[in-house]
């Protein structure tokens, strides 16, 4: 296979900066039963084999349950894992499997059929029970993998660090990922703003997406350059040494910077973190975040059949508030639709979901969803000392901003804002800011809608480059409106996490930068080298450039 | 055979944690314990999937039964778990 040739360089799309060297471990896919079921001579022995496999799966879940029980977020995860272990040990399943193998069925087929019966029952029941179907499927897939002698599905459990190679990573895959072991991600699909890329940035590990890595064999050593978007197969000793040296130097520089974000001449720029749940927040604080500039609340809504209750949401927000005493916490209301469909908040049959009912627009057909969420946020905000700001995604007009502000203030929320992700919002930033207290620019969606380029499409990476001068022009317009109104305008898209681009954004008048926790150290170090006037000079140079590459080159020139 | 009617005390019904606790308690008994909805089929109380698919809600009556030596004690233990309001107990402990 060409992909395995020593020294071969696979070119993908840069998704999270950094360098790493390590052996490939592939994400296991759920096992598929072969077309032909083998004949069984000893039904009793086959039954024992099936039960032994289920027992091993149960042991594994019990061990995982015990491992997370003591952690801050562990209680609920531990309960779910313990309940999943009980499914693997279920005597009703065991009876059914034994009966099937006794009748001559092969072990893997018997297990599949026995679980299938309960799967249908749970699915029909809906609600909480239907949500257990994925746990049941996981148990079955693991037992079947053991019985067929094929790799276990999901993230590999290896004793050594590795480079994770997958087609793409789903949130369920990454939930069980051990960040100590994963050196880098390489995916064959996905664009620079896919889930894998966002997670890699938050962990501060390199990632290359849209990479022709399908042929990479398990265990082959690769060097990953997350800034250049390259994967080098079986790198020579000189390259390995170089990667290790550069990666250590990068880490040392980021670690050396500390304290609040500021320019070389002391202009304050709060450096905040983007977070998806309480564990992200704790990690980001360790990484030096001054607060949370974007709390994505989708984590409460995904993988469910019904919306979370007010009390459930309040508990989750209160847990995040408690982690941020006296610090800023910007909560974004539910951003459903398009790439994050929810059964209870997505309209079927939208011809083009990215341009349909998504973001704040979800509250038009489902007003109660937003009302419940705002009530839960307000209640949580009243409990701790976190400085809670709330903002709506995908607001397009000043009239929408006014409606959202009225709703949020009606719940007693003091600091209300909007995200600027649609070009119309940037063009009319002054009018929107007349209605609200702050704005936050989501550069990923703003790119997508300004350049009419799908975020998930790897072939359009150049159009989605946050250094595109037209995108920077919209940032400038919004920041200028903020300065005129005396209201903060932050950036919470991926652009904020590119250290040099952060300098440009500050020069354009952006008042805070929110980014994946892993990017904070380098951004702080870079910003501290630039006086504000030079940031403005860099911004002017980037705005006048003809292309993203020319903008980068022009800013590097200013840096000299 | 010993048999008893018990009211579900958990606010979430026999779901999630209460269901797991019930199954673990039943599995720890020296005799098999069966559980069913009133008038319904008696299922193995050690089977989480059987317990979940009962869809027993808060305030529902379930019938538990057991046979042999220790049956009454086994039913005492299982009934206590079904009747308890686990959420209230936890909130009390936390608050």
């Amino acid at each position: 296979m060409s992909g395995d040739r020593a020294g071969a360089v696979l070119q993908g799309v840069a998704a999270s900066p950094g360098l790493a060297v390590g052996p490939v471990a592939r994400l296991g896919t759920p096992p598929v039963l072969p077309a032909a079921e083998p004949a069984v001579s000893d039904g009793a022995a086959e039954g024992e084999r099936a039960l032994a496999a289920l027992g091993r799966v149960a042991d594994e879940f019990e061990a995982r349950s015990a491992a997370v029980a003591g952690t801050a977020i562990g209680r609920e995860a531990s309960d779910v894992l313990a309940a999943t272990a009980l499914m693997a040990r279920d005597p009703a399943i065991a009876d059914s499997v034994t009966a099937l193998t006794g009748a001559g069925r092969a072990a893997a087929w018997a297990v599949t059929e026995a679980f299938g019966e309960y799967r249908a029952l749970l699915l029909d029941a809906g609600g909480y029970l239907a949500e257990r179907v994925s746990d049941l499927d996981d148990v079955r897939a693991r037992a079947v993998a053991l019985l067929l002698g094929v790799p276990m599905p999901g993230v590999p459990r290896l004793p050594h660090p590795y480079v994770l190679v997958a087609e793409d990573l789903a949130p369920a895959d990454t939930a069980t990922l051990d960040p100590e072991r994963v050196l880098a991600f390489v995916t064959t699909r996905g664009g620079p703003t896919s889930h894998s890329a966002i997670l890699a940035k938050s962990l501060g590990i390199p990632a290359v997406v849209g990479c022709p890595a399908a042929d990479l064999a398990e265990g082959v050593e690769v060097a990953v350059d997350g800034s250049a978007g390259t994967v080098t197969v079986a790198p020579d000793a000189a390259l390995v040494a170089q990667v290790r040296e550069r990666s250590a130097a990068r880490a040392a520089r980021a670690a050396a910077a500390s304290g609040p974000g500021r320019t070389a001449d002391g202009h304050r720029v709060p450096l905040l973190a983007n977070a998806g749940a309480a564990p992200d927040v704790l990690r980001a604080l360790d990484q030096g975040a001054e607060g949370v500039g974007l709390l994505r609340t989708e984590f409460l809504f995904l993988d469910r059949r019904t919306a979370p209750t007010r009390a459930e949401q309040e508990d989750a927000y209160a847990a995040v508030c408690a982690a941020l005493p006296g610090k800023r916490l910007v909560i974004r209301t539910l951003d459903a639709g398009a790439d994050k469909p929810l059964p209870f908040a997505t309209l079927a049959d939208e011809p083009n979901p990215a341009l349909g009912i998504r973001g704040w627009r979800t509250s038009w057909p489902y007003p109660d969803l937003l009302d419940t969420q705002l009530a839960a946020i307000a209640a949580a905000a009243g409990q701790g000392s976190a400085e809670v700001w709330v903002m709506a995604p995908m607001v397009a007009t000043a009239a929408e901003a006014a409606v959202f502000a009225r709703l949020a203030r009606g719940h007693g929320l003091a600091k209300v804002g909007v995200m600027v992700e649609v070009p119309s919002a940037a063009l009319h930033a002054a009018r929107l800011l007349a209605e609200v207290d702050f704005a936050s620019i989501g550069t990923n969606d703003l790119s997508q809608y300004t350049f009419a380029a799908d975020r998930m499409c790897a072939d359009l990476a150049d159009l989605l480059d946050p250094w595109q001068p037209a995108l920077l022009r919209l940032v400038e317009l919004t920041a200028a409106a903020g300065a005129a109104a005396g209201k903060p305008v932050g950036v919470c898209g991926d652009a904020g996490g590119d250290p040099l681009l952060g300098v440009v954004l500050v020069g354009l008048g952006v008042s805070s930068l929110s980014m994946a926790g892993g990017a904070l150290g380098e951004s702080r170090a870079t910003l501290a080298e630039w006086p504000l006037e030079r940031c403005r000079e860099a911004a002017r140079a980037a705005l006048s450039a003809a292309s993203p590459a020319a903008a980068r080159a022009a800013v590097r020139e200013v840096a000299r | 055979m010993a048999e008893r009617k018990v009211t579900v005390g958990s606010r979430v019904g026999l779901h999630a944690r209460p269901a797991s606790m019930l199954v673990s308690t039943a599995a720890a008994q020296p005799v098999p314990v069966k559980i069913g909805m009133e008038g319904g089929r008696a299922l193995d109380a050690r089977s989480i999937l059987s317990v979940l698919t009962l869809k027993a809600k808060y305030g529902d009556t379930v019938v538990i039964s057991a046979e042999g030596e220790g049956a009454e004690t086994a039913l005492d233990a299982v009934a206590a778990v079904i009747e308890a309001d686990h959420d209230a107990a936890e909130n009390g402990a936390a608050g």
Side-chain angles (χ1 to χ4, degrees):
Chain A
M1 280 180 281
S2 62
D4 284 4
R5 221 175 41 233
V9 177
L10 310 176
Q11 181 68 53
V13 179
S16 174
L19 299 154
V21 175
V24 165
R26 305 198 63 106
L27 183 77
T29 47
V32 179
L33 290 176
E37 182 174 342
V40 173
S41 52
D42 184 347
E46 193 70 3
E48 274 168 33
R49 214 164 72 77
L51 296 187
L54 286 167
R56 274 182 61 189
V57 173
D59 290 345
E60 191 194 318
F61 277 105
E62 273 160 13
R64 279 163 66 184
S65 170
V68 298
T71 63
I73 48 120
R75 164 73 193 272
E76 198 178 339
S78 176
D79 284 352
V80 169
L81 291 166
T84 310
L86 288 175
M87 290 181 185
R89 288 203 202 287
D90 196 301
I93 290 282
D95 288 350
S96 172
V97 166
T98 310
L100 287 161
T101 49
R105 304 296 304 275
W109 280 258
V111 167
T112 304
E113 195 169 317
F115 276 103
E117 197 182 311
Y118 282 99
R119 188 181 197 282
L121 281 174
L122 292 179
L123 209 52
D124 282 350
Y128 171 86
L129 291 182
E131 282 156 31
R132 303 278 71 78
V133 165
S134 57
D135 303 336
L136 195 70
D137 286 346
D138 199 14
V139 170
R140 175 183 45 82
R142 299 182 97 68
V144 168
L146 283 172
L147 290 166
L148 295 176
V150 299
M152 280 288 203
V155 173
R157 256 167 267 282
L158 295 170
H160 56 77
Y162 56 88
V163 173
L164 184 64
V165 178
E167 193 175 312
D168 203 358
L169 293 168
D173 300 322
T174 51
T176 57
L177 195 121
D178 178 358
E180 302 290 314
R181 295 270 158 79
V182 182
L183 297 165
F185 291 159
V186 176
T187 67
T188 55
R189 293 197 318 169
T193 60
S194 62
H195 179 77
S196 318
I198 290 169
L199 183 79
K201 286 195 184 115
S202 117
L203 295 172
I205 64 173
V208 175
V209 300
C211 183
D215 287 348
L216 277 180
E218 189 84 22
V220 163
E221 184 163 75
V222 291
V224 180
D225 183 334
S227 308
T230 57
V231 176
T232 307
V233 183
D236 58 27
L239 180 57
V240 171
Q242 194 195 337
V243 166
R244 296 234 158 95
E245 194 178 308
R246 278 169 58 195
S247 144
R250 202 170 162 267
R253 182 165 170 274
S258 64
R262 59 179 73 236
T263 60
D265 52 343
H267 172 69
R268 281 279 287 118
V269 181
L271 298 178
L272 311 166
N274 297 342
D280 285 358
V281 174
L282 297 173
R283 187 165 59 221
L285 289 171
D286 280 348
Q287 288 160 329
E290 294 172 54
V292 167
L294 167 64
L295 180 73
R296 303 183 182 94
T297 54
E298 290 76 64
F299 73 97
L300 278 164
F301 295 82
L302 292 172
D303 297 324
R304 300 176 58 117
R305 305 221 145 204
T306 52
T309 62
R310 200 201 105 143
E312 196 181 330
Q313 292 191 52
E314 183 185 327
D315 285 352
Y317 304 140
V320 177
C321 287
L324 293 164
K327 293 190 163 72
R328 189 189 307 177
L329 167 61
V330 185
I331 302 181
R332 178 178 72 187
T333 58
L334 179 62
D335 190 11
D339 57 330
K340 292 166 281 198
L342 302 174
F344 46 88
T346 308
L347 300 184
D349 304 328
E350 282 192 300
N352 190 344
L355 301 179
I357 302 292
R358 55 160 302 191
W360 123 273
R361 298 170 188 175
T362 306
S363 70
W364 303 344
Y366 305 103
D368 293 351
L369 215 53
L370 179 63
D371 195 60
T372 303
Q373 184 171 31
L374 289 172
I377 293 171
Q383 292 173 26
S385 67
E387 189 193 324
V388 174
W389 301 16
V390 64
M391 64 183 181
M394 291 286 296
V395 169
T397 67
E400 289 175 26
V403 172
F404 178 71
R406 184 170 50 74
L407 292 173
R409 289 182 185 133
H411 282 282
L413 288 156
K415 200 87 169 174
V416 180
V418 290
M419 287 199 66
V420 173
E421 300 169 282
V422 183
S424 62
L427 293 168
H428 273 179
R431 297 192 197 176
L432 269 73
L433 281 163
E435 305 293 344
V436 295
D437 307 309
F438 72 97
S440 183
I441 305 173
T443 48
N444 300 353
D445 269 326
L446 189 56
S447 282
Q448 154 161 289
Y449 294 123
T450 301
F451 292 89
D454 189 334
R455 281 170 63 171
M456 301 311 288
C457 186
D459 294 335
L460 301 178
D462 189 55
L463 286 174
L464 293 164
D465 190 321
W467 283 83
Q468 280 283 0
L471 177 73
L472 299 178
R473 174 80 180 109
L474 291 175
V475 172
E476 183 192 34
L477 269 176
T478 311
K487 293 177 177 175
V489 171
V491 165
C492 66
D494 282 334
D498 172 340
L500 201 56
L501 187 52
V503 165
V504 170
L505 296 173
V506 169
L508 290 170
V510 164
S511 59
S512 67
L513 297 173
S514 190
M515 63 194 76
L520 286 162
E522 244 192 310
S523 291
R524 177 176 289 113
T526 304
L527 196 58
E529 291 164 359
W530 288 72
L532 184 57
E533 199 38 58
R534 293 288 293 283
C535 296
R536 292 186 175 133
E537 201 183 318
R540 284 190 294 272
L543 282 171
S544 330
S547 69
R552 282 190 179 86
V555 171
R556 287 205 192 96
E557 199 57 40
V558 176
R560 265 170 226 267
Chain B
M1 190 179 70
E3 189 178 283
R4 211 174 291 178
K5 286 182 186 175
V6 187
T7 306
V8 176
S10 163
R11 310 261 159 193
V12 298
L14 282 184
H15 275 176
R17 198 173 164 78
S20 298
M21 288 172 73
L22 165 61
V23 168
S24 305
T25 306
Q29 303 308 317
V31 291
V33 178
K34 300 235 173 224
I35 184 168
M37 298 305 286
E38 218 176 357
R41 209 152 61 92
L43 303 167
D44 190 342
R46 297 167 302 179
S47 160
I48 182 90
L49 291 167
S50 301
V51 169
L52 287 177
T53 48
L54 284 178
K55 292 185 266 178
K57 291 187 287 297
Y58 171 65
D60 280 353
T61 302
V62 296
V63 181
I64 52 173
S65 58
E67 246 174 305
E69 197 165 334
E72 287 293 342
T73 332
L75 291 188
D76 287 344
V78 171
V81 177
I82 296 172
E83 283 169 339
D85 181 1
H86 302 276
D87 302 316
E90 276 156 26
N91 291 341

